[in-house]
């Protein structure tokens, strides 16, 4: 599509009739419909109706994607040519749009562009027009300076490859409510903490596939934050950065926090302060405490569990149970009760964690739904679970889901225990590990097990294969 920078009128545009129903809709309705289109398609729509001739000039939603300039009919188009056409189009739209129109959303996807100056210029223009939502998927060769904008409510910033993010040292996001960062390298823990604290309205913070360079303390302190997601990078990062949290203490002090999702492969040192509003939690870490003393394990558990006593939904990784198993030798220390807990999701290794599971159930008197992922164990010593009265099994537990089931002796023993003692159990479903070949034989054993609940429905051949532990919603 050829455009001229001297005239906002699209050459060769054909006038259309004004009587069609879509054209007669109120302008804000048309804007809402067009907000789902990329800007290049909105401009093309100018040829459909006279009423839309200059509609794009006042469009408050701008969406630029460089892939639109490499259509199937232009597969041979050189990337350099596509980049130049893309930059020309973005410049043209921003130049001829009505500058008095507040931009509600500006989306930019140009992972092939290495022109940092052009990107910063475009961001500056939309910031001057009081942009409210900014979504950037970009590539930067140098550390990227986070743009300041007092009007911004939502900011999503992602990079094609790891990029150092330079945070402002002053409060520049007084209206920011949602922040999503992807593939970012943080080089200063205090600067990150200060930035979060300086956003007085921030409610949603999402940091994914990012790396924290040699952090000693990662502190998230906010009086407004409600939802927090932190998924750090892999411990064995091919770029040699590592997730940087191996020797780091995670401090979370957010009195309005409702949902927490924290995934890190290398640290277990969590400290929760003033999180009484917390309802939904997923904590994943992998740390082998085989050289830790029982007292050290107790310290780890008490710091984590004490802050989670009011949650209603909890998901914990196998790393947590490694500490829990070690600490069982002094069970008097494991005394935190989860009186509000309704949903519990666990990844366990049955040769170690069976008693820990029973202890956890005993401390969750109101539990209604239990989901267990069985981890791979190198060996499995059979241990019978004693039939004891557990409050949640007697009065509340209605749903049990078992994933990656192999039918090993300890897994079957857990099934037996739940069926025998689950007096109000309504459903027990099993999804199998794909490598299991003798499912029918195992199913026959399961259906013959005694049950306390006459209403329980067994689904020993659930079709929910390959449900990832990380993505499963508890």
């Amino acid at each position: 599509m050829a455009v001229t920078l001297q005239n906002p009128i699209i050459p060769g545009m054909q006038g259309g009739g004004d009587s069609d129903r879509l054209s007669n809709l109120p302008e804000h309705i048309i804007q809402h419909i067009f907000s789902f289109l990329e800007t290049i398609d909105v401009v093309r729509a100018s040829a459909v109706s006279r009423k839309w001739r200059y509609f794009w000039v006042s469009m408050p939603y701008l969406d630029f994607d460089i892939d639109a300039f490499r259509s199937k009919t232009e597969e041979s188009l050189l990337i350099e040519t596509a980049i130049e056409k893309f930059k020309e189009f973005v410049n043209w739209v921003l130049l001829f749009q009505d500058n008095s129109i507040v931009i509600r959303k500006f989306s930019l996807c140009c992972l092939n562009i290495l022109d940092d100056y052009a990107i910063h210029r475009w961001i500056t223009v939309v910031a001057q027009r009081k942009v409210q939502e900014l979504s950037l998927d970009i590539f930067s060769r140098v550390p990227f300076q986070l743009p300041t904008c007092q009007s911004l409510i939502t900011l999503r910033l992602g990079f094609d490859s790891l990029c150092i993010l330079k945070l402002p040292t002053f409060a520049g996001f007084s209206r920011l409510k949602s922040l999503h960062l992807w593939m970012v390298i943080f080089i200063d823990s205090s600067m990150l903490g200060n930035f979060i604290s300086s956003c007085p309205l921030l409610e949603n913070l999402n940091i994914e596939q990012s790396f924290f360079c040699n952090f000693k303390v990662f502190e998230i302190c906010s009086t407004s934050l409600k939802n927090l997601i932190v998924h750090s990078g892999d411990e064995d990062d091919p770029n040699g950065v590592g997730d940087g949290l191996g020797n780091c203490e995670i401090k979370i002090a957010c009195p309005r926090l409702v949902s927490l999702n924290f995934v890190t492969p290398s640290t277990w040192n969590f400290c929760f302060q003033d999180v009484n509003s917390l309802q939904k939690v997923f904590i994943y870490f992998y740390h082998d405490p085989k050289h830790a003393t029982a007292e050290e394990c107790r310290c780890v558990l008490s710091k984590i569990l004490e802050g989670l006593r009011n949650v209603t939904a909890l998901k914990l990784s196998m790393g947590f149970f490694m500490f829990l198993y070690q600490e069982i030798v002094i069970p008097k220390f494991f005394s935190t009760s989860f009186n509000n807990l309704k949903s519990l999701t666990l990844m366990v290794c049955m040769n170690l964690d069976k008693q820990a599971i029973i202890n956890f159930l005993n401390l969750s008197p109101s539990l209604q739904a239990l989901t267990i992922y069985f981890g791979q164990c190198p060996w499995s010593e059979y241990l019978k679970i004693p039939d004891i009265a557990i409050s949640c099994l007697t009065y509340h537990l209605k749903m049990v889901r078992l994933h990656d089931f192999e039918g090993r002796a300890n897994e079957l023993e857990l099934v037996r225990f739940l069926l025998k003692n689950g007096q109000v159990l309504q459903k027990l479903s099993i999804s199998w590990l794909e490598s299991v070949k003798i499912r029918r034989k195992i199913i026959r054993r399961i259906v013959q097990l005694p049950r306390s609940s006459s209403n329980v429905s067994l689904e020993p051949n659930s079709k929910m294969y390959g449900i990832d532990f990380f993505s499963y919603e508890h």
Side-chain angles (χ1 to χ4, degrees):
M1 181 194 71
V3 296
T4 172
L5 298 182
Q6 286 75 32
N7 194 326
I9 302 176
I10 308 300
M13 181 171 57
Q14 299 294 324
D18 291 331
S19 59
D20 62 277
R21 294 182 180 180
L22 186 58
S23 296
N24 290 327
L25 289 173
E27 182 173 315
H28 71 280
I29 299 295
I30 299 176
Q31 284 184 349
H32 178 71
I33 295 172
F34 279 12
S35 69
F36 298 97
L37 300 178
E38 293 182 17
T39 299
I40 191 171
D41 293 320
V42 176
V43 173
R44 286 167 176 162
S46 301
V48 175
S49 167
R50 290 192 182 94
K51 189 174 181 179
W52 298 352
R53 189 177 181 90
Y54 298 108
F55 190 80
W56 63 272
V57 176
S58 59
M59 186 67 183
Y61 303 94
L62 299 176
D63 186 352
F64 300 100
D65 190 338
I66 195 170
D67 287 342
F69 289 78
R70 300 195 72 188
S71 65
K72 293 181 179 179
T73 59
E74 298 175 313
E75 289 182 352
S76 61
L77 185 65
L78 294 175
I79 185 62
E80 290 82 4
T81 305
I83 290 174
E84 290 307 312
K85 289 184 65 177
F86 177 77
K87 290 166 61 176
E88 179 182 337
F89 179 71
V90 176
N91 289 331
W92 178 79
V93 171
L94 294 179
L95 177 63
F96 287 109
Q97 266 215 319
D98 184 351
N99 289 331
S100 66
I101 301 296
V102 172
I103 297 180
R104 297 180 189 174
K105 182 177 181 180
F106 181 83
S107 298
L108 180 67
C109 182
C110 53
L111 298 175
N112 303 101
I113 291 184
L114 304 180
D115 191 342
D116 294 288
Y117 174 75
I119 293 173
H120 280 281
R121 186 177 69 249
W122 296 334
I123 295 173
T124 300
V125 170
V126 298
Q128 292 172 348
R129 292 180 56 185
K130 300 180 180 179
V131 61
Q132 296 176 356
E133 182 175 348
L134 186 61
S135 179
L136 306 173
D137 288 295
I138 58 179
F139 178 85
S140 181
R141 294 171 295 182
V142 298
F144 188 84
Q145 178 69 55
L146 191 67
T148 57
C149 182
Q150 295 289 353
S151 63
L152 206 58
I153 297 174
T154 300
L155 172 60
R156 182 188 181 279
L157 175 61
F159 296 93
D160 180 56
S161 58
L162 286 169
C163 180
I164 294 176
L165 181 64
K166 297 173 65 177
L167 298 169
T169 56
F170 56 91
F173 297 89
S174 60
R175 298 183 62 194
L176 189 66
K177 290 186 176 182
S178 295
L179 176 62
H180 184 175
L181 302 174
W182 175 273
M183 292 292 282
V184 166
I185 298 176
F186 298 98
I187 58 175
D188 191 318
S189 59
S190 61
M191 186 173 292
L192 175 58
N194 292 337
F195 172 76
I196 294 172
S197 300
S198 69
C199 299
L201 301 181
L202 187 64
E203 296 181 354
N204 306 296
L205 176 60
N206 191 331
I207 303 174
E208 295 190 57
Q209 294 301 311
S210 296
F211 298 84
F212 308 84
C213 288
N214 301 316
F215 275 32
K216 299 302 180 185
V217 177
F218 181 11
E219 186 170 9
I220 301 176
C221 181
S222 170
T223 58
S224 59
L225 196 64
K226 295 181 179 179
N227 302 293
L228 173 62
I229 298 176
V230 178
H231 282 207
S232 66
D234 297 329
E235 191 171 19
D236 298 324
D237 171 48
N239 295 287
V241 179
D243 82 342
L245 298 178
N247 298 311
C248 178
E249 181 180 14
I250 311 295
K251 291 184 177 181
I252 299 176
C254 304
R256 298 184 66 189
L257 191 66
V258 175
S259 175
L260 170 66
N261 190 320
F262 208 112
V263 175
T264 171
S266 57
T267 189
W268 44 263
N269 196 357
F270 289 85
C271 179
F272 298 101
Q273 300 173 349
D274 195 12
V275 289
N276 293 329
S277 297
L278 199 55
Q279 298 293 307
K280 187 176 181 179
V281 175
F282 171 33
I283 295 179
Y284 174 91
F285 63 86
Y286 185 91
H287 184 87
D288 191 347
K290 61 184 178 181
H291 299 301
T293 65
E295 176 66 21
E296 289 171 333
C297 290
R298 183 205 65 81
C299 182
V300 170
L301 289 172
S302 62
K303 288 176 66 177
I304 296 176
L305 296 178
E306 195 64 30
L308 306 181
R309 60 167 61 243
N310 294 321
V311 301
T312 59
L314 182 62
K315 181 161 72 167
L316 296 171
S317 69
M318 193 181 300
F320 176 88
F321 278 90
M322 290 182 178
F323 281 91
L324 188 56
Y325 174 75
Q326 295 290 331
E327 204 270 340
I328 285 174
V329 298
I330 44 174
K332 64 180 181 178
F333 288 134
F334 187 50
S335 57
T336 300
S337 293
F338 303 92
N339 294 322
N340 300 325
L341 190 63
K342 301 293 192 296
S343 174
L344 178 63
T345 302
L346 307 172
M347 175 176 278
V348 302
C349 182
M350 283 303 294
N351 63 326
L352 296 177
D353 304 332
K354 189 159 47 178
Q355 186 57 50
I357 296 171
I358 304 306
N359 285 1
F360 223 116
L361 292 177
N362 210 24
L363 296 171
S364 309
S366 303
L367 190 68
Q368 298 178 3
L370 173 65
T371 302
I372 294 180
Y373 281 78
F374 295 106
Q376 299 300 300
C377 302
W379 56 272
S380 183
E381 178 184 354
Y382 175 74
L383 295 172
K384 182 175 176 60
I385 304 175
D387 291 317
I388 57 175
I390 295 179
S391 180
C392 68
L393 292 178
T394 303
Y395 300 107
H396 298 289
L397 188 65
K398 298 178 180 179
M399 171 74 72
V400 174
R401 301 181 183 91
L402 305 177
H403 293 282
D404 294 338
F405 193 79
E406 291 185 84
R408 293 189 180 189
N410 279 333
E411 296 172 353
L412 289 171
E413 172 61 11
L414 180 62
V415 172
R416 183 205 66 79
F417 173 81
L418 293 172
L419 288 175
K420 177 70 179 297
N421 297 279
Q423 298 185 23
V424 294
L425 192 61
Q426 295 179 359
K427 183 177 178 180
L428 188 148
S429 67
I430 296 174
S431 64
W432 298 80
L433 203 64
E434 290 191 32
S435 59
V436 179
K437 304 300 183 183
I438 55 171
R439 298 178 191 177
R440 291 188 178 183
K441 180 180 179 180
I442 299 172
I443 290 172
R444 284 196 295 269
R445 292 185 60 184
I446 292 175
V447 297
Q448 293 174 1
L449 294 172
R451 316 170 198 177
S452 291
S453 173
S454 59
N455 297 321
V456 63
S457 170
L458 291 179
E459 295 186 4
N461 203 16
S462 173
K463 296 182 180 180
M464 298 185 296
Y465 300 120
I467 300 179
D468 183 66
F469 177 68
F470 290 93
S471 61
Y472 177 78
E473 286 292 331
H474 56 299

